[in-house]
Each structure stands twice: as structure tokens, then as C-alpha cells.
Amino acid sequence: MKNLAIIAARSGSQRIKHKNIKIVAGYPLIYYAIDHAKKTKGIDKIIVATDNEYYAEISKSRGAEIIMRPPEISGPNS
């Protein structure tokens, strides 16, 4: 069976700007979500859905696939 992990990482955080790339213990926060998904038994593919090219680059460097989210589905209620 194939299992997919989807990590939503939009750049428009309302309370903490760009929280997904804030450095926590030496790495951007998104690293931890991707790395934990990689370590989770049964997950075959990791996709990061983002509206930000820089977030996409960081996520690709950790081995995730990327889906670019258009602005109409990148708001706080998406």
C-alpha cells in the first residue's frame, strides 16, 4: 500500500511571519515536519504544498516533492 504525507506550508502566517522557515535548534521548522514524515513507517511519499518558492527549495533539499499552491487557496481559511 502507498501512503502519502502532505505538509501544508503557506508563507502567510498571521501570528508569526514565515514560521515555517524560522530556525529552531539550528534548522528551519519545516525540516522537522519533513524529517519526521521520512522516519514514519509506512509513508512512501512526502509532498509539501506551499505558495512560496523559497519554502519549496528548502523542502526539496530535504527530499520532499512540491505542489505550488495558487493564491486563491493559500489564505488563512484554506
Side-chain angles (χ1 to χ4, degrees):
M1 175 188 282
K2 298 273 182 183
N3 292 301
L4 174 67
I6 300 174
I7 300 168
R10 68 182 190 93
S11 62
S13 305
Q14 292 182 311
R15 291 184 211 128
I16 301 172
K17 297 296 179 192
H18 298 288
K19 72 179 174 214
N20 292 304
I21 58 170
K22 292 287 184 195
I23 303 300
V24 177
Y27 297 98
L29 189 59
I30 190 96
Y31 272 30
Y32 296 100
I34 294 167
D35 287 349
H36 279 81
K38 287 166 75 173
K39 293 175 184 174
T40 301
K41 185 177 179 179
I43 292 181
D44 304 300
K45 184 186 279 190
I46 302 165
I47 295 178
V48 173
T50 186
D51 60 342
N52 185 290
E53 288 290 336
Y54 184 61
Y55 288 20
E57 287 178 32
I58 290 172
S59 299
K60 280 185 208 174
S61 77
R62 297 308 286 178
E65 293 183 32
I66 306 302
I67 293 177
M68 294 303 295
R69 294 169 62 177
E72 58 271 12
I73 61 166
S74 295
N77 297 320
S78 297

